[in-house]
Amino acid sequence: MIPVTKPFLPPLATYQAYVEGIWQRNWLTNNGPLVNELELKLKEYLDLPHLLFLSNGTVALQMAIKALKLEGEIITTPFSYVATTSSIIWEGCRPVFVDIDPHTLNINAELIEAAITPRTSGILATHVYGNPCDIDAIQSIGARHQLKVIYDAAHCFGTLYKGRSVFAYGDISTTSFHATKLFHTIEGGAVFTANAELLKKLAYLRNFGHDGPDKFADVGINGKNSEFHAAMGLSNLGYIDDILKSRKNQSDQYTQWFDRPGFQLITWSKDSKVNHAYFPVILPSEAQLLKVQKDLEANLIFPRRYFYPSLSSVEVFNPSNTPVAEEIAKRVLCLPLYYQLSKEEIDFICRIVMRSMNY
Ligand SMILES: *Cc1c(COP(=O)(O)O)cnc(C)c1O
């Protein structure tokens, strides 16, 4: 069976060595030494001044919206994982969907200004598939209209934009370290900001608003993560360069197969070094996608329709008309991509797709 992704697992002994330390200290959670060590090593690896390790990427989005005091309307993309939109609504705001660019599948920055109203307080954009948005355009729109900018960078571990980690951009960037992501801590996530004051607020929010055992600086939530999750992150961090390198090779191999008419591949941001977190292919029609999916599944290969449906068509999410996102969402398929996936398996997958498309 070939699933769309398989979590990376470090050698068991590496994880066990961290767990033995946890047993000795009897310190399981609440900002323990491994959480601190992971935060330090991540800052070093990403070359960023501030970050907080959190329980997941969804709470990271909620805390970002809360910390920036966003209210009213938030401009966002309909082409993302559901958590991007649901966290806006969960925080009492209203998502306003702006259509996507048909080549990058990121929010179309040229359409943002037309969606701004007196009620708009911020922009929440996703760097889809680890491919940076038009960051310069979004930043200048934000500055011109005094809107806060949050990036959902859940797919972006290892992606560079203009030579820096893409997590460095926006008022706040968030990420996910969920088991399905390129770098993971089983469950987990993080917030990033260059603003030290904002970081302090986020740190209060993460820990119930506690400022000492019996003082409260803010209205917080439980966004903490545990020593066990930090141990997985520390174990995996040793392999991240290897993982990124193999992703690049696997994506190059896929790209060779799909470099022919009938398939559209993502246009990657030219100012970036992307992490190849996913391998999406856009097929000519939904009927062809369903046929390819069926033929792959008959061979026990399970691609995923990331992201379908367009969030702008979900009844509970303040639906609106974003024709490009709706059209693309019907035709895009993510093929299997994970560390253990072999060259032979990629060839096998591609041969089935080509046969399905009558090549
Ligand atoms: C995975 C993901 C999230 C949610 O992260 P969790 O850690 O699972 O809560 C949010 N946004 C995007 C784009 C994602 O892919």
Side-chain angles (χ1 to χ4, degrees), residues 160-353:
L160 303 181
Y161 180 76
K162 295 191 169 168
R164 294 179 73 196
S165 166
V166 77
F167 298 146
Y169 298 88
D171 290 288
I172 298 178
S173 275
T174 68
T175 199
S176 166
F177 299 143
H178 183 257
T180 55
K181 308 299 206 258
L182 192 145
F183 170 78
H184 79 89
T185 61
I186 313 172
E187 290 277 355
V191 280
F192 306 86
T193 178
N195 180 329
E197 273 305 301
L198 199 51
L199 187 90
K200 202 166 148 201
K201 183 170 177 75
L202 286 161
Y204 284 132
L205 295 187
R206 172 172 72 170
N207 190 27
F208 306 98
H210 268 294
D211 183 17
D214 39 22
K215 245 183 85 194
F216 297 94
D218 214 324
V219 183
I221 194 169
N222 183 357
K224 292 180 277 94
N225 211 333
S226 82
E227 292 290 280
F228 291 85
H229 294 83
M232 182 59 83
L234 286 164
S235 304
N236 286 342
L237 201 54
Y239 296 88
I240 190 67
D241 288 331
D242 225 24
I243 292 171
L244 287 165
K245 201 158 87 200
S246 74
R247 290 285 169 137
K248 166 91 174 80
N249 294 336
Q250 291 166 324
S251 295
D252 286 350
Q253 191 187 345
Y254 268 130
T255 302
Q256 278 185 1
W257 274 98
F258 286 95
D259 185 16
R260 57 176 92 189
F263 302 106
Q264 183 197 330
L265 299 180
I266 300 294
T267 304
W268 302 108
S269 156
K270 62 179 178 340
D271 294 320
S272 304
K273 185 169 170 285
V274 296
N275 61 358
H276 301 286
Y278 299 86
F279 195 85
V281 182
I282 303 166
L283 294 153
S285 70
E286 186 174 26
Q288 271 162 311
L289 178 145
L290 293 172
K291 179 167 181 293
V292 166
Q293 187 176 20
K294 187 165 137 269
D295 291 346
L296 287 170
E297 286 177 0
N299 287 280
L300 300 183
I301 299 163
F302 298 93
R304 274 289 294 268
R305 298 183 75 181
Y306 289 139
F307 296 97
Y308 176 83
S310 168
L311 298 170
S312 57
S313 66
V314 175
E315 201 42 53
V316 289
F317 287 166
N318 184 27
S320 67
N321 196 21
T322 54
V324 179
E326 276 151 48
E327 171 63 23
I328 294 280
K330 287 181 185 150
R331 297 196 278 120
V332 64
L333 193 63
C334 280
L335 298 176
L337 190 56
Y338 49 88
Y339 187 72
Q340 309 91 313
L341 187 69
S342 71
K343 272 199 164 85
E344 292 69 30
E345 285 170 321
I346 292 177
D347 284 338
F348 178 56
I349 293 164
C350 292
R351 272 197 294 273
I352 293 164
V353 176

Side-chain angles (χ1 to χ4, degrees), residues 88-138:
I88 292 174
I89 301 174
W90 198 271
E91 290 306 318
C93 300
R94 190 177 142 97
V96 173
F97 296 108
V98 164
D99 211 348
I100 59 170
D101 178 282
H103 307 289
T104 65
L105 312 201
N106 283 326
I107 193 167
N108 187 338
E110 287 176 14
L111 303 178
I112 290 177
E113 282 193 302
I116 295 173
T117 75
R119 296 174 296 282
T120 310
S121 61
I123 300 169
L124 170 47
T126 302
H127 304 301
V128 180
Y129 306 131
N131 188 28
C133 293
D134 192 346
I135 288 176
D136 297 351
I138 292 172

Side-chain angles (χ1 to χ4, degrees), residues 56-58 61 80-81 83-84 126 152 154-155 176 178 181 188:
N56 60 65
T58 305
L61 285 166
S80 185
Y81 184 59
T84 314
T126 302
D152 181 343
H155 303 166
S176 166
H178 183 257
K181 308 299 206 258

